């Protein structure tokens, strides 16, 4: 089987500068879904029909995702309709059977395509069309049947002819599997005699039904939604998210509420994903990890038994086994939080390794650092890593203690077991087991506050 994916339409209803089929749902462009469905259903060759303007972007987008091997992009010079686009594609096909999918129908999957293929064989049909029954047929093409219930045409909504056709609520899902030679000949015969002046792929049905069998296979309307505008984009996306969440639930993951998990994310059984979580890109969550309410995790890995407390944001980082993050923590790219380490509220890390069992529990900026095993970084510690030109490293040895409200001016190294007193500005390396302290000596002035208040009050004309 070969497959043609139609993706050259103008997509005017999206009102976008971006080609319609590259708009994303659940983290992948619309176009990726039918291409993958075709490959998974066994297509040996996929021809993506693109417009001249979008060809380069589409190719650049497809090749990293699928490789070049089985996918080819072809240009439809003018958007003269789906029939014209299919003709461009079918020229590049040579298998006996051709599947035609639309780039804007992302909920189609390999099972859909396989089911059409078996129907083609079992019924010895020349063409099988996927249909579905919907309450509001809107702008979908209507499946027209004769008195014997045989499919005789697909009528586009702008060209409906009579009350019978207007009353039809079985619509064309835009997924077709047919014999290549029959399709190819029919595509050569269709004409743009319709309201929109386009070559309709759907017109091959009326043509072929005159001499061979066309079957409409009725399926689940959700799988077949086309995306023509942003409302349909949102609808397709929420169905996709539900599907992905169900797949993980069935595989043993507890998923609560409206977690949004992209297709590319891996989750092991017995992990828990709470309400309002967004997991994106190449993210992996290991078993028994808990991702609490409202977290956003992008391209990161979360180890077994780790807890990501509410509203933490993690990007391109890794969190080790049993580590605790948040609430309200922010791990920026290249943060490596090892086993049993703790990163608490309002702590920001970037390009920093926090070794096993180390803790930074409150209000800190830890950039370009290396924090040794079991070290403790107190509240309000800042790694002063940037001089306006370059980034510098802060290294903290194992078991070192950094008192609250300290600034470590990088490059600087705090030796193992060293102690930095609260409020210290560290500008020189601190040897192992030494104490670093840099503070102005405290002075208490008895009664000074009371006298000050009295003076200030009298100058304001008030009682102290
Ligand atoms: C099409 C069907 C309609 C069906 C619906 C299902 C036709 C005439 N109508 O309508 O029966 O119910 O899909 O979603 O086929 N395209 C090209 N070149 C073109 C025009 C379109 O490649 O010249 C591509 C588009 O990029 C899109 C697909 O073909 O991916 C469908 O085109 P679209 O204009 O969205 O057709 P619909 O009006 O949705
Ligand atoms: Ca469409």
């Amino acid at each position: 089987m070969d497959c043609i994916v139609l993706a050259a339409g103008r997509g005017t209803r999206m009102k976008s500068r971006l080609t319609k089929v590259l708009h994303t749902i659940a983290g992948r462009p619309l176009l990726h879904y039918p291409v993958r469905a075709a490959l998974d259903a066994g297509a040996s060759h996929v021809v993506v029909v693109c417009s001249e303007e979008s060809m380069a972007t589409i190719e650049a987008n497809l090749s990293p995702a699928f490789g070049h091997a089985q996918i080819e992009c072809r240009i439809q010079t003018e958007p003269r309709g789906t029939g014209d686009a299919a003709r461009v594609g079918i020229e590049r096909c040579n298998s006996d059977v051709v599947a035609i999918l639309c780039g804007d129908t992302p909920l189609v999957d390999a099972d859909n395509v396989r089911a059409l293929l078996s129907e083609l064989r079992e019924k010895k049909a020349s063409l099988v069309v996927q249909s579905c029954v919907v309450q509001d047929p809107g702008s979908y093409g209507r499946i027209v049947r004769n008195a014997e219930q045989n499919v005789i045409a697909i009528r586009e909504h702008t060209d409906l002819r009579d009350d019978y056709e207007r009353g039809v609520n079985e619509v064309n899902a835009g997924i077709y599997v047919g014999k290549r030679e029959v399709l190819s000949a029919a595509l050569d015969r269709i004409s743009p005699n319709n309201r929109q002046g386009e070559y309709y792929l759907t017109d091959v049905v009326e043509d072929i039904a005159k001499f061979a069998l066309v079957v409409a296979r009725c399926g689940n309307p959700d799988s077949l939604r086309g995306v023509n505008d942003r409302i349909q984009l949102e609808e397709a996306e929420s169905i996709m998210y539900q599907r992905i969440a169900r797949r993980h639930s069935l595989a043993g993951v507890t998923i609560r509420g409206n977690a949004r998990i992209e297709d590319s994310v891996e989750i092991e059984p017995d992990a828990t994903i709470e309400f309002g979580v967004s997991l994106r890109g190449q993210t992996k969550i290991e078993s028994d990890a808990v991702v609490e309410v409202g977290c956003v995790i992008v391209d990161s890995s979360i180890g077994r038994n780790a807890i990501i407390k509410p509203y933490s944001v993690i990007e391109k980082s890794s969190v080790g086994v049993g580590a605790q993050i948040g609430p309200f923590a922010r791990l920026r790219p290249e943060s490596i939080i090892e086993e049993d380490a703790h990163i608490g509220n309002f702590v920001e890390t970037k390009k920093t390794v926090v070794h096993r069992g180390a803790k930074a529990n409150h209000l800190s900026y830890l950039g370009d650092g290396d924090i040794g095993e079991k070290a403790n970084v107190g509240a309000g510690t800042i790694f002063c890593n940037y001089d306006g030109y370059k980034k510098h490293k802060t290294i903290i040895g194992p078991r070192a203690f950094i008192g609250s409200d300290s600034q470590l001016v990088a490059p600087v190294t705090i030796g193992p077991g060293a102690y930095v007193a609260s409020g210290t500005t560290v500008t020189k390396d601190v040897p192992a087991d030494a104490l670093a302290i840099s503070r102005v000596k405290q002075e208490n002035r008895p009664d000074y506050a009371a006298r000050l208040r009295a003076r200030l009050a009298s100058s304001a004309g008030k009682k102290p």
Side-chain angles (χ1 to χ4, degrees), residues 399-420:
R399 290 168 289 99
F401 182 95
I402 313 298
S404 298
D405 195 26
S406 297
Q407 305 99 53
L408 310 185
V409 182
V412 72
T413 300
I414 314 292
Y419 198 105
V420 172

Side-chain angles (χ1 to χ4, degrees), residues 207-252:
D207 180 289
I208 297 171
K210 285 184 184 136
F211 60 88
L213 180 63
V214 178
V215 173
R217 185 180 189 279
C218 202
N220 173 359
D222 272 354
S223 322
L224 316 165
R225 285 168 186 264
V227 172
N228 299 305
D229 57 34
R230 311 245 184 174
I231 293 173
Q232 291 172 333
L233 185 79
E234 193 279 329
E235 288 167 349
E237 183 166 55
S238 65
I239 293 169
M240 186 63 77
Y241 276 129
Q242 276 171 30
R243 258 192 210 175
I244 296 168
R246 265 189 214 136
R247 165 158 59 83
H248 289 295
S249 300
L250 289 171

Side-chain angles (χ1 to χ4, degrees), residues 39-216:
L39 292 173
D40 289 352
S44 45
H45 182 59
V46 178
V47 187
V48 179
V49 181
C50 321
S51 67
E52 199 153 8
E53 314 82 75
S54 65
M55 167 98 159
T57 343
I58 287 181
E59 259 183 341
N61 185 286
L62 285 174
S63 59
F66 296 98
H68 288 287
Q70 297 157 288
I71 299 175
E72 173 186 13
C73 292
R74 299 296 289 183
I75 292 178
Q76 180 192 20
T77 45
E78 289 283 330
R80 282 182 288 254
T82 48
D84 181 63
R87 196 156 43 199
V88 170
I90 210 160
E91 282 170 8
R92 305 293 304 167
C93 298
N94 45 37
S95 302
D96 290 343
V97 174
V98 172
I100 304 177
L101 310 183
C102 290
D104 66 351
T105 311
L107 296 167
V108 60
D109 62 16
D111 286 343
N112 282 129
V113 180
R114 280 193 214 104
L116 297 191
L117 187 60
S118 348
E119 192 110 352
L120 186 81
R121 296 204 167 118
E122 277 160 26
K123 301 231 164 112
K124 298 195 166 46
S126 287
L127 177 63
V128 183
V129 178
Q130 177 82 62
S131 70
C132 55
V133 172
V134 293
Q135 278 204 331
D136 171 20
S139 65
Y140 288 106
R142 315 301 202 262
I143 306 287
V144 181
R145 294 176 184 267
N146 64 11
E148 288 77 47
Q149 292 303 304
N150 293 323
V151 176
I152 52 168
I154 294 179
R155 198 80 65 217
E156 291 308 303
H157 76 292
T158 41
D159 303 295
L160 295 171
R161 293 183 183 171
D162 51 35
D163 286 344
Y164 158 72
E165 289 185 1
R166 277 185 281 273
V168 170
N169 61 357
E170 182 185 9
V171 298
N172 168 29
I175 305 165
Y176 318 80
V177 174
K179 293 191 175 152
R180 177 176 56 86
E181 284 177 354
V182 179
L183 267 172
S184 173
L187 284 169
D188 283 339
R189 287 190 293 263
I190 57 175
S191 67
N193 289 332
N194 51 57
R195 279 275 168 77
Q196 304 188 72
E198 286 186 357
Y199 289 91
Y200 287 164
L201 168 56
T202 43
D203 280 352
V204 300
V205 171
E206 193 159 6
D207 180 289
I208 297 171
K210 285 184 184 136
F211 60 88
L213 180 63
V214 178
V215 173

Side-chain angles (χ1 to χ4, degrees), residues 362-364 377-382 401-408 420-426 438-439:
H362 329 267
L363 300 158
S364 289
V377 177
T381 298
I382 305 291
F401 182 95
I402 313 298
S404 298
D405 195 26
S406 297
Q407 305 99 53
L408 310 185
V420 172
S422 290
T424 295
T425 302
V426 182
S438 75
R439 301 176 185 149

Side-chain angles (χ1 to χ4, degrees), residues 36 56 72 99 101 195 214 217 254 257 259 289-290 297 322 325 340-341 390 392 415 421 429 434 445 457:
R36 201 170 49 176
E72 173 186 13
L101 310 183
R195 279 275 168 77
V214 178
R217 185 180 189 279
T254 296
V290 177
I297 303 181
I325 309 295
D340 297 325
K390 276 189 181 163
H392 302 280
D429 289 355
R445 302 185 183 175

